[in-house]
């Protein structure tokens, strides 16, 4: 099954989880800071593809999309 079809874990939505990392160093913190400053960031549905589509529509780099996937894996494994 492709990663973007993996269901989100129960509990805190991905956007809310990501925003708890705004002070982190590294790629997740950078992604969180960008999300915090994006008033159009997705709130739902809570799927990787929703966030990927949003970033692609914003002209995100391949690296940014890879960082998103890495963050999603961390989010989903909690």
């Amino acid at each position: 099954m492709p990663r973007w079809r993996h269901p989100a874990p129960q509990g805190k939505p991905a956007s809310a989880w990501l925003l708890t990392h705004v002070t982190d160093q590294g790629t997740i913190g950078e992604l969180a800071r960008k999300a915090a400053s994006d008033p159009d960031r997705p709130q739902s549905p809570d799927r990787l593809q929703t966030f990927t589509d949003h970033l692609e529509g914003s002209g995100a780099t391949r690296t940014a999309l890879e960082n998103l996937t890495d963050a999603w894996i961390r989010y989903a494994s909690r």
Side-chain angles (χ1 to χ4, degrees):
M1 175 184 304
R3 281 184 277 205
W4 62 84
R5 296 233 175 135
H6 285 195
Q10 296 297 320
K12 190 178 287 195
S15 286
W17 173 85
L18 184 59
L19 294 177
T20 66
H21 294 277
V22 295
T23 60
D24 291 6
Q25 299 299 311
T27 58
I28 291 180
E30 182 179 338
L31 188 63
R33 288 185 288 281
K34 288 180 181 179
S37 67
D38 181 359
D40 298 322
R41 72 182 173 273
Q43 299 299 318
S44 64
D46 212 16
R47 298 178 317 131
L48 176 56
Q49 191 62 46
T50 302
F51 296 91
T52 300
D53 291 346
H54 176 71
L55 288 183
E56 286 176 339
S58 301
T61 65
R62 180 177 202 80
T63 300
L65 294 169
E66 290 169 356
N67 291 343
L68 171 64
T69 300
D70 292 345
W72 185 269
I73 291 168
R74 184 170 164 189
Y75 164 69
S77 68
R78 59 186 178 94

